[in-house]
Amino acid sequence: MTAPTLTKATGGAPAAPPAAAIPAAGTGQIPPPRATRRLASLIRAGARTAGRGIWASGAILLFLLLWEFGPTYLASASTRVFLPPLHEVLRALGSLIAKGQLQDHLAASLTRSAIGFGIAVVAAVALGLLVAWYRSLDRFLNPLLEVFRNTAALALLPVFTLLLGIGETSKISIVAYAAFFPVLLNTIAGVRTVDPLLIRAARSLGLSNFRLFQKVILPSAVPTIFTGIRMAGTSSILVLIAAEMVGAKAGLGYLIVNAQSSFLIPDMYAGILTVALLGLLVNYLLVAVERHFSRWRTAVGSQSN
Amino acid sequence: MTRGTGPTPKISLRNVGKEFTVRPSKEQPEGSTLTALEGITLDVAAGEFITLVGPSGSGKTTLLDLLAGLTRPDTGQVLVDGKEITGPGRDRAVVFQQYALFPWRTAAANVAFGLEGPGSDGRRLSRKERAEKAREYLDLVGLSGFEDRYPHELSGGMKQRVAIARSLAYEPDILLMDEPFAALDAQTREQLQEELLRIWRSTGKTIIFITHGIDEAVYLGQRVAVLSSRPGRLKQVVDIDLGDRSGDGDVRSDAVFVQHRHKVWSLLHEEVRKAQKAGHAKIRPDGSAPDEAPQLGKGQLSKGQLSKERAA
């Protein structure tokens, strides 16, 4: 995949470095031979990374180019109204930021999803630990949890709106609901899959049930729990935007729908772009957190047996 | 059968028996019981190194669990220092075949695991004291400089060294070892056997060491206890006297060693044949044996698993 860019880059590296890769590296000085060689290899490495970077972002760039020029040159005039080129969207985004509107909507959405997400994580981890620990509770609750889990959160949106109104409560609740199940299921799975040998080892050291839980079961379940939290993060944003589209006075979902109905099409796309970037950012952060807590898991497979 | 050693032996097994209830299955709707151990009587003196051999399914691990206090005997008594065992305790430590290191803890943190919480005198060690001790015991097993490594960064032999250090760190009198070197390659195994002897000599622990290897049993043990095929009974205890083993010589090719080895081999061989004929296999942790009745699947973790077995 990277081969073509790579050969091109390394081949021309010392004499004529590819323009994009090394901006003005090594110009204006005459370094001794060894340093030259080191510089050359540095340049080559830089070119390789840059080449790889260009290749990796190629699809995105193509997409953005299509967005910019497609509407102007390919689409009919009526379509162009509903699909403005990228620069118009970015201009709309800029003016939304300048007017402080975007920040307000973003803050509204973030507050709701953070509160709902937080409630869900705390509740789901607590319940998950209980369910995993007490078998009878699991047998009792499991059928009901299965029913709720398989009911799409958005299908329940009208119910939340009817019971809790169109204010903050209903939105926070539906976010919490949507985020609850991934965390719950992963917590249960995490506790269940603790290596029984570790339990035996800890028991042989005379640990009480509580200490066993705190020192063995919980740490060993943490990576799995964080996988659930990451999944919950994605779904909480998804559900929140939908909820804000149905009935709200602020938030990114509201921004998108309101812009559409006010025929501010570039504003609408600016809202969508913000949602996409927010989703990426949240996922990136949660993946980083998850990785941090799972470091020890590398090669854990070779550890048993 | 046993030798009288001093007034109170360190460990005393008196007519110990253990049964497991096999869960009802399609073939056996009633369920059945499996006698893992029967009438085991054995005294172990303080500071003694005794090895335990027996065919598969003869209840070696069951016996170790009893000594560790992880299960209770159905008949007889297990005494340590003349007092009956009521559960796991800090006077005993277990070393498992699969190391059982906590993968999220570094080597030093693993060794310190048993030091967290109140010690035998009720005093809690500070973080610094624990780190100090962990370093000391890692040094004892020859792992200085590996304090900050995670288990997945260590070789099998190193992991087992960490596990041994963890067991020694909270200073138990008794070390219970369940085939600790079985998963290691021959060279590492031999090296660790020597180290274990060195540690045993310098610390004076009482060691009960389960093994499949006759060579290992004879090389390490002052006595070798041979268990019969299921139900496990004590077939014979063989005294091993290899003279001074601290030298560099090849003890294993010594005439005396070969003689002892042969004796244990003949005792064991008979039992292994019997066990094979009966198709015995290893007793599972949930108390069933694959050969006795088909099973429902791997026993899953639950809070009272060990105590439930006993109650059933």
Side-chain angles (χ1 to χ4, degrees):
Chain A
M1 225 165 37
T2 51
T5 36
L6 217 140
T7 32
K8 219 199 301 166
T10 46
I22 332 96
T27 42
Q29 46 180 325
I30 306 140
R34 249 188 58 207
T36 321
R37 226 176 304 144
R38 202 186 301 155
L39 191 69
S41 75
L42 210 75
I43 289 168
R44 225 171 293 147
R48 208 175 301 146
T49 329
R52 214 171 283 162
I54 288 170
W55 180 253
S57 47
I60 291 265
L61 284 174
L62 273 180
F63 172 74
L64 292 179
L65 284 175
L66 188 69
W67 188 359
E68 176 59 37
F69 297 109
T72 321
Y73 297 107
L74 302 174
S76 65
S78 58
T79 315
R80 203 174 310 146
V81 177
F82 300 122
L83 190 62
L86 180 60
H87 73 270
E88 281 180 36
V89 174
L90 291 178
R91 200 188 304 143
L93 188 69
S95 79
L96 278 175
I97 293 173
K99 279 182 281 181
Q101 278 177 314
L102 190 80
Q103 288 90 318
D104 291 345
H105 290 300
L106 191 63
S109 286
L110 278 181
T111 315
R112 287 169 190 148
S113 53
I115 295 175
F117 180 70
I119 293 173
V121 168
V122 171
V125 169
L127 184 66
L129 295 178
L130 283 177
V131 165
W133 195 241
Y134 295 104
R135 286 252 120 172
S136 48
L137 187 66
D138 179 32
R139 275 194 295 273
F140 178 69
L141 279 182
N142 192 44
L144 184 68
L145 291 176
E146 275 302 301
V147 170
F148 276 116
R149 182 170 74 90
N150 289 299
T151 309
L154 287 176
L156 288 172
L157 187 56
V159 181
F160 278 86
T161 318
L162 282 175
L163 292 180
L164 301 168
I166 59 161
E168 296 302 296
T169 326
S170 70
K171 274 165 215 75
I172 291 173
S173 312
I174 194 131
V175 168
Y177 179 87
F180 181 76
F181 288 99
V183 181
L184 177 76
L185 295 176
N186 276 279
T187 306
I188 296 174
V191 172
R192 288 267 168 78
T193 49
V194 176
D195 187 350
L197 181 67
L198 295 182
I199 308 248
R200 247 161 73 87
R203 280 228 186 278
S204 77
L205 287 162
L207 258 69
S208 64
N209 273 341
F210 176 74
R211 291 260 167 237
L212 181 74
F213 209 88
Q214 179 202 7
K215 300 217 157 172
V216 180
I217 293 177
L218 212 50
S220 138
V222 157
T224 321
I225 294 176
F226 267 97
T227 306
I229 289 179
R230 179 171 53 78
M231 289 157 69
T234 316
S235 71
S236 69
I237 288 186
L238 182 97
V239 169
L240 176 71
I241 300 299
E244 284 175 345
M245 285 179 161
V246 174
K249 290 194 239 33
L252 292 172
Y254 167 78
L255 171 69
I256 293 168
V257 168
N258 192 47
Q260 186 213 14
S261 53
S262 320
F263 223 72
L264 299 165
I265 302 302
D267 281 17
M268 179 187 89
Y269 282 102
I272 295 172
L273 201 59
T274 314
V275 170
L277 293 176
L278 178 66
L280 271 178
L281 183 72
V282 167
N283 191 57
Y284 174 80
L285 283 179
L286 289 173
V287 164
V289 172
E290 185 187 359
R291 195 167 299 153
H292 172 81
F293 280 102
S294 319
R295 260 175 318 170
W296 55 266
R297 253 195 178 180
T298 14
V300 85
S302 60
Q303 137 96 14
S304 49
N305 276 321
Chain B
M1 198 194 277
T2 55
R3 30 176 209 213
T5 37
T8 8
K10 189 74 199 168
I11 302 169
S12 187
L13 298 161
R14 290 191 190 156
N15 195 31
V16 170
K18 178 74 189 169
E19 286 179 354
F20 289 112
T21 310
V22 178
R23 259 184 268 153
S25 62
K26 267 188 197 147
E27 281 77 13
Q28 284 177 298
E30 297 292 300
S32 58
T33 55
L34 179 150
T35 309
L37 291 171
E38 198 174 73
I40 305 269
T41 299
L42 176 71
D43 283 351
V44 181
E48 192 178 4
F49 197 140
I50 188 162
T51 50
L52 202 61
V53 292
S56 234
S58 62
K60 298 187 294 287
T61 300
T62 309
L63 188 61
L64 200 93
D65 279 356
L66 289 171
L67 287 163
L70 291 171
T71 47
R72 298 278 201 86
D74 293 311
T75 61
Q77 284 179 304
V78 182
L79 308 174
V80 169
D81 287 325
K83 282 195 283 281
E84 188 160 7
I85 291 176
T86 53
R90 306 185 135 262
D91 52 343
R92 285 154 284 143
V94 187
V95 178
F96 298 93
Q97 183 187 333
Q98 265 98 20
Y99 327 124
L101 297 180
F102 301 108
W104 56 90
R105 283 171 169 248
T106 60
N110 260 290
V111 175
F113 187 86
L115 302 171
E116 296 160 14
S120 47
D121 54 355
R123 200 177 73 86
R124 256 169 214 282
L125 294 175
S126 71
R127 185 181 287 269
K128 215 176 132 200
E129 285 172 303
R130 290 201 301 262
E132 193 63 38
K133 266 215 161 145
R135 200 168 318 124
E136 178 191 329
Y137 278 96
L138 279 174
D139 184 47
L140 179 73
V141 297
L143 278 184
S144 286
F146 288 90
E147 285 85 358
D148 296 327
R149 299 291 186 90
Y150 283 91
H152 72 260
E153 299 169 313
L154 300 172
S155 70
M158 288 160 116
K159 281 185 213 169
Q160 195 56 284
R161 282 167 195 262
V162 175
I164 291 172
R166 178 177 66 186
S167 302
L168 292 171
Y170 60 95
E171 287 161 7
D173 297 335
I174 299 166
L175 214 49
L176 305 166
M177 310 185 85
D178 191 357
E179 298 188 38
F181 305 149
L184 305 176
D185 64 89
Q187 216 166 5
T188 314
R189 188 183 311 142
E190 223 169 272
Q191 206 181 347
L192 276 180
Q193 285 168 354
E194 258 168 62
E195 296 238 353
L196 182 64
L197 282 177
R198 176 180 63 78
I199 290 167
W200 170 62
R201 280 191 209 104
S202 68
T203 58
K205 307 276 178 213
T206 309
I207 300 181
I208 298 196
F209 187 105
I210 290 179
T211 174
H212 259 112
I214 300 172
D215 278 34
E216 187 171 64
V218 173
Y219 179 72
L220 291 174
Q222 293 175 297
R223 289 191 291 160
V224 179
V226 184
L227 284 183
S228 71
S229 60
R230 191 180 308 150
R233 296 191 195 87
L234 204 55
K235 190 177 167 84
Q236 199 172 328
V237 181
V238 181
D239 284 297
I240 308 289
D241 185 11
L242 300 176
D244 180 27
R245 289 185 292 181
S246 53
D248 276 340
D250 182 9
V251 181
R252 290 175 182 83
S253 55
D254 215 61
V256 192
F257 183 90
V258 174
Q259 225 173 1
H260 284 304
R261 192 195 172 283
H262 180 71
K263 187 164 180 196
V264 175
W265 182 86
S266 348
L267 285 167
L268 192 59
H269 191 64
E270 211 176 295
E271 294 303 325
V272 169
R273 244 199 336 239
K274 264 192 239 165
Q276 264 169 358
K277 224 194 246 160
H280 286 171
K282 199 161 176 61
I283 300 172
R284 292 206 182 119
D286 62 351
S288 62
D291 55 299
E292 298 277 326
Q295 265 305 301
L296 301 166
K298 220 169 154 191
Q300 270 184 319
L301 153 75
S302 76
K303 186 182 79 171
Q305 191 182 318
L306 293 168
S307 51
K308 259 184 233 152
E309 261 165 36
R310 195 156 47 84

